[in-house]
Amino acid sequence: MKTVGLYLVELLAAYGVDTVFGIPGVHTVEMYRGLPRSGIRHFTPRHEQGAGFMADGYARATGKPGVCFIISGPGLTNIATAMAQAYGDSVPMLVITSVNPPGRLGSGEGHLHELPDQRQLGRQFTAFSHTILRADELAQVVARAFAVFASALPPARKRPVPSRPAAEPQAVAAAAALCTAALRPIILAGGGAADAAVPMRRLAEALDAPVIMTVNGRGVLPAGHPLGVPCSPAMEATRALIETADLVIAAGTEFGPTDYDFYETGGARIGGKLIRIDIDAEQAMRGRPADQALISDAALALEALAAAVSPRPPGDGAARAKLARSGVRKALNPILRAGAHLMEVVRDTLPGVVIVGDSAQPVYAGCIDYAATRPRSWFCSATGYGTLGYALPAATGALIGTRRPTVCLIGDGGIQFTLPELGSAREAELPLIVLLWNNNGYGEIKSYMETRGIEPIGVDIFTPDFLTISRGFGCEAHRMKDHRELPALLEAALLRRCPTVIEIVEADYIAAINGQEEPALPAVAE
């Protein structure tokens, strides 16, 4: 007789799942019975939070849902932070947990891994949470999950997934009329537009409209495009571009404060008309009311809109974009300039690289000013939910999913949250590159406390010997002595069948790139 575990694996394979992240436990072993013959790869993290971050990185880099097998009780509570990070950024993740059997479920008798109500706990950070109590529910619940993800149509043995919604023709016509009337249009591109690069470029060029890209929207216009503004919309120069526009087209962006008001100065005020493109009708109604809302998949809406407008001759769009880019770059303080330099060296040395960031100063620099070459090549945890320790397992998942050069950019404080995941990457023989930005503690928070007259406490933490620890995990490890060594270190790391940890001393790198200067901007708070 086919078990529920076997049936589950067959369903996942039918929906195109090729990778699962998980740690086997006594309550989940039946889910593993069918894996060896399914063609689905399994990767074992060292902690359930690592499994969630790996699935998150896999999903962001590939556009496909990340899937986890997790035990009940502590497995779910351990992965909760990673699930909340993914939920906050609308990253598709399917977490399949075991649960105590009926009769023990929620009994309060102290059975192994028992929670009072696991389903209700999961509802706090998921699109939906369901406890399957009958075998015949399984296919329907899995179908619901993939309907939420709206993934590409895989092979047979699955229920048809609804197609992505397209905008109503009347709404497209009304939006096109606003575009035609605009003299200074701009586009705001968020993570929801990550798969809409072709129609985004077509529309931007037709309207001569600069495109400001949030972190998750970077690369929608490639690095070097004259209309591209790969900069945080929270900066003074980008706010000015937004506020002087007579039309703003917001595609796939939630207008989240960590993107649009990172320094808590009030953010840009949209004085012109607003076209809002969002797949979620409820989300499209939040914040400043749109003059025209297109409830649609971003790619479909942008394609329809580009087809409905007449291309105009080039005007001042490229000049406006250039002014915003140069204004952002000039406003960077020495720490952020060093971080931007570091990321650009990585990008230019490793074609096609995926950079995954944690919460650290060079990552904040990338959030503010970094031009990715294509979508899904730069993401981090510094915006949205803001988790520490994210980058190491998330970069592992991204490398597993794409097999492109992948760099984890993380601080010495953040890496201590998930340091054992070096073992996961080593076990999988992945050429993961870890750039470890070391300031011997929570240096950013220490500065933040000092600027507010608070005596620093809890920030000068013990800093271990990361190179020795990394080598203990079977990784290559180097401390960079001269910033000019970095390209050669990166290229050598790609040739290995194990991770490489490159430690960068913050003070040395800042001095080499800038000299000793006083910061011009306030420290960025986590």
Side-chain angles (χ1 to χ4, degrees):
M1 180 181 295
K2 183 182 297 183
T3 67
V4 170
L6 287 169
Y7 186 33
L8 170 65
V9 171
E10 288 183 3
L11 281 171
L12 294 177
Y15 280 95
V17 172
D18 57 21
T19 305
V20 167
F21 304 93
I23 302 173
V26 294
H27 288 172
T28 60
V29 291
E30 284 299 327
M31 291 154 59
Y32 284 78
R33 187 183 295 276
L35 277 180
R37 293 168 296 281
S38 68
I40 297 175
R41 302 174 298 172
H42 182 274
F43 291 89
T44 307
R46 297 305 183 261
H47 188 279
E48 284 90 358
Q49 186 181 87
F53 287 149
M54 287 181 189
D56 177 297
Y58 172 93
R60 293 188 200 234
T62 66
K64 299 187 294 184
V67 180
C68 299
F69 283 179
I70 300 299
I71 64 165
S72 50
L76 180 60
T77 54
N78 282 344
I79 201 175
T81 296
M83 294 173 69
Q85 177 77 43
Y87 185 64
D89 282 347
S90 302
V91 175
M93 182 188 296
L94 176 60
V95 176
I96 302 170
T97 75
S98 57
V99 74
N100 292 98
R104 295 184 178 181
L105 189 62
S107 69
E109 295 175 353
H111 295 287
L112 182 65
H113 301 332
E114 182 180 347
L115 283 173
D117 195 332
Q118 189 164 298
R119 177 178 181 176
Q120 290 301 319
L121 175 64
R123 288 185 64 185
Q124 307 308 307
F125 35 77
T126 58
F128 77 88
S129 175
H130 187 95
T131 299
I132 294 172
L133 299 176
R134 304 188 319 271
D136 59 6
E137 292 182 282
L138 182 61
Q140 180 185 30
V141 175
V142 172
R144 285 176 61 198
F146 281 89
V148 170
F149 302 147
S151 59
L153 298 180
R157 283 204 192 189
K158 66 172 196 67
R159 300 188 179 198
V161 174
S163 59
R164 289 176 177 262
E168 296 179 350
Q170 301 93 324
V172 172
L178 292 175
C179 293
T180 300
L183 298 177
R184 298 181 308 282
I186 68 164
I187 300 174
L188 304 176
D195 296 323
V198 172
M200 175 71 74
R201 182 169 185 166
R202 181 182 169 197
L203 181 64
E205 292 174 350
L207 297 179
D208 191 40
V211 180
I212 301 176
M213 292 162 269
T214 69
V215 172
N216 290 327
R218 298 288 169 83
V220 172
L221 287 192
H225 193 287
L227 292 172
V229 185
C231 307
S232 167
M235 302 298 286
E236 183 177 348
T238 44
R239 293 204 317 267
L241 184 58
I242 295 170
E243 291 174 353
T244 56
D246 59 355
L247 174 66
V248 174
I249 303 171
T253 178
E254 296 178 347
F255 285 105
T258 54
D259 275 314
Y260 288 86
D261 191 20
F262 201 52
Y263 290 103
E264 298 185 354
T265 58
R269 289 164 178 79
I270 298 175
K273 300 291 186 181
L274 173 62
I275 297 172
R276 189 109 186 242
I277 300 171
D278 205 291
I279 200 168
D280 185 340
E282 181 183 0
Q283 184 63 46
M285 295 300 107
R286 292 177 178 157
R288 196 275 211 188
D291 295 280
Q292 181 62 57
L294 303 181
I295 308 305
S296 170
D297 168 76
L300 295 177
L302 290 167
E303 286 170 1
L305 198 52
V309 300
S310 299
R312 62 182 66 177
D316 66 350
R320 289 189 292 141
K322 182 178 180 179
L323 182 64
R325 291 194 304 267
S326 62
V328 170
R329 183 55 63 104
K330 288 177 183 177
L332 297 182
N333 67 32
I335 299 175
L336 297 174
R337 274 202 298 274
H341 177 274
L342 175 66
M343 291 192 61
E344 289 170 357
V345 169
V346 173
R347 179 198 64 198
D348 297 342
T349 303
L350 304 177
V353 68
V354 178
I355 303 178
V356 183
D358 210 72
S359 288
Q361 285 290 3
V363 175
Y364 292 127
C367 292
I368 292 170
D369 184 11
Y370 172 70
T373 56
R374 54 173 151 165
R376 302 190 181 279
S377 295
W378 159 236
F379 50 88
C380 67
S381 62
T383 59
Y385 199 58
T387 313
L388 273 172
Y390 165 86
L392 178 55
T396 301
L399 178 51
I400 288 168
T402 66
R403 295 292 168 174
R404 288 161 53 190
T406 303
V407 171
C408 160
L409 184 52
I410 193 166
D412 60 291
I415 199 171
Q416 293 186 62
F417 279 60
T418 52
L419 187 57
E421 299 304 349
L422 279 177
S424 308
R426 176 62 185 87
E427 183 175 78
E429 298 183 339
L430 298 175
L432 179 67
I433 302 171
V434 179
L435 295 184
L436 176 56
W437 186 264
N438 195 342
N439 57 19
N440 292 299
Y442 299 123
E444 172 208 337
I445 299 303
K446 182 176 181 178
S447 297
Y448 191 79
M449 296 172 81
E450 289 173 341
T451 59
R452 281 150 182 78
I454 301 170
E455 183 177 350
I457 187 169
V459 290
D460 293 315
I461 61 174
F462 174 77
T463 303
D465 182 343
F466 290 109
L467 302 187
T468 298
I469 293 173
S470 300
R471 291 169 186 144
F473 276 110
C475 305
E476 289 286 329
H478 304 273
R479 180 175 290 112
M480 195 171 71
K481 297 181 176 66
D482 185 320
H483 73 281
R484 290 167 293 190
E485 299 175 336
L486 184 56
L489 290 172
L490 294 171
E491 291 169 346
L494 279 188
L495 303 178
R496 301 188 178 106
R497 296 183 61 183
C498 68
T500 299
V501 176
I502 302 171
E503 186 176 10
I504 300 171
V505 178
E506 179 184 80
D508 293 347
Y509 201 86
I510 292 171
I513 302 305
N514 302 277
Q516 301 298 324
E517 301 178 37
E518 291 298 318
L521 287 175
V524 181
E526 290 174 3

